[in-house]
Amino acid sequence: MEHFWHCFVPLFVAVDAIGILPLFISITEEVERPKLRRVIVQSVLTAAVVALVFLAIGKVIFSFLGISV
């Protein structure tokens, strides 16, 4: 189960960084510092990539799905 959380923490952080902070802290409290640093960097990069993708092609995705403002 621990492996599952370490794989999906970056996605959770990309969705709701502030709301997921308590869960992130509790999941990673026993992780060694170098591995924790890697998870944090991976989470931030995942959030940045998701944000940039939606910034670049968000309107196209929404129009494809039939969502309008």
Side-chain angles (χ1 to χ4, degrees):
M1 187 61 147
E2 181 179 331
H3 183 69
F4 169 80
W5 287 113
H6 287 289
C7 290
F8 289 100
V9 164
L11 293 175
F12 292 144
V13 172
V15 172
D16 183 17
I18 302 300
I20 204 67
L21 189 59
L23 179 64
F24 179 81
I25 290 171
S26 68
I27 290 173
T28 59
E29 66 186 350
E30 296 178 5
V31 177
E32 308 86 42
R33 210 159 175 86
K35 192 172 185 178
L36 177 62
R37 192 174 301 259
R38 192 178 83 216
V39 169
I40 291 171
V41 168
Q42 187 179 26
S43 300
V44 170
L45 287 175
T46 302
V49 167
V50 169
L52 290 173
V53 166
F54 271 98
L55 184 65
I57 61 172
K59 286 185 180 182
V60 174
I61 293 172
F62 285 151
S63 66
F64 177 74
L65 295 173
I67 300 171
S68 65
V69 179

